[in-house]
């Protein structure tokens, strides 16, 4: 897949959860990718299309983190927990791979569904 200069991919490096919760690597079969992703580096999938996203279910964590990088133009990711929009990650400028809190206050005894969607058009994320 050839990327045009206008499209930038945001790589997703890994998921981590506190409270001795699960750690899910990007190349795990536990993650369901939706939309167009560049998997040339399976440990750092990249995506640029709006509404491209991923989902994962987990149990055993109250707080969930994810590592992302944003292009120079910034970006916006929609975070959905258990079918409801939990919030947005938004950067007005780029950043290298950083850890972001995706959700907290979850019941560690229940199974949860986490979904992340790219909510803007410009830029490639990972």
């Amino acid at each position: 897949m050839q990327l045009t200069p206008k499209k930038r991919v945001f790589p997703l490096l890994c998921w981590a959860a506190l409270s001795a919760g699960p750690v899910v690597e990007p190349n795990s079969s536990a993650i369901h990718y939706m939309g167009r992703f560049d998997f040339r580096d399976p440990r750092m999938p990249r995506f640029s299309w709006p509404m491209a996203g991923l989902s994962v279910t987990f149990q055993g964590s109250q707080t969930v983190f994810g590592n992302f990088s944003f292009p120079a133009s910034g970006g916006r990711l929609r975070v959905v927990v258990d079918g409801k929009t939990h919030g947005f990650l938004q950067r007005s400028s780029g950043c290298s791979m950083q850890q972001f809190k995706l959700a907290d206050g979850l019941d560690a005894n229940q199974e949860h569904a986490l979904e992340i969607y790219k909510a803007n058009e410009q830029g490639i994320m990972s």
Side-chain angles (χ1 to χ4, degrees), residues 14-17 21-25:
C14 70
W15 298 95
V23 173
V24 181
E25 297 293 332

Side-chain angles (χ1 to χ4, degrees), residues 6 8 10 70-76 91-95 118 120-124:
K6 286 185 174 181
R8 307 260 170 133
F10 299 80
F70 287 82
S73 59
R76 183 175 162 135
R91 298 285 306 217
S92 58
S93 61
C95 72
K118 187 171 185 290
N120 65 310
E121 290 193 20
Q122 75 274 7
I124 295 172

Side-chain angles (χ1 to χ4, degrees), residues 18-115:
L18 292 181
S19 307
V23 173
V24 181
E25 297 293 332
N27 57 350
S28 169
S29 63
I31 298 176
H32 174 72
Y33 290 95
M34 302 164 281
R36 294 181 180 215
F37 277 79
D38 175 355
F39 289 102
R40 284 181 280 190
D41 180 353
R43 297 195 41 83
M44 194 176 297
R46 299 173 2 128
F47 56 109
S48 63
W49 289 69
M51 293 308 295
L54 56 99
S55 66
V56 64
T57 57
F58 64 93
Q59 182 174 343
S61 180
Q62 294 179 347
T63 306
V64 180
F65 292 86
N67 294 343
F68 298 94
S69 70
F70 287 82
S73 59
R76 183 175 162 135
L77 295 173
R78 178 180 174 204
V79 179
V80 177
V81 178
D82 298 331
K84 297 179 182 172
T85 298
H86 192 76
F88 290 86
L89 289 179
Q90 187 162 336
R91 298 285 306 217
S92 58
S93 61
C95 72
S96 58
M97 195 62 66
Q98 289 184 7
Q99 187 174 78
F100 295 92
K101 185 186 296 185
L102 303 175
D104 61 355
L106 302 175
D107 183 344
N109 296 313
Q110 290 187 324
E111 184 173 88
H112 298 282
L114 174 69
E115 302 167 61

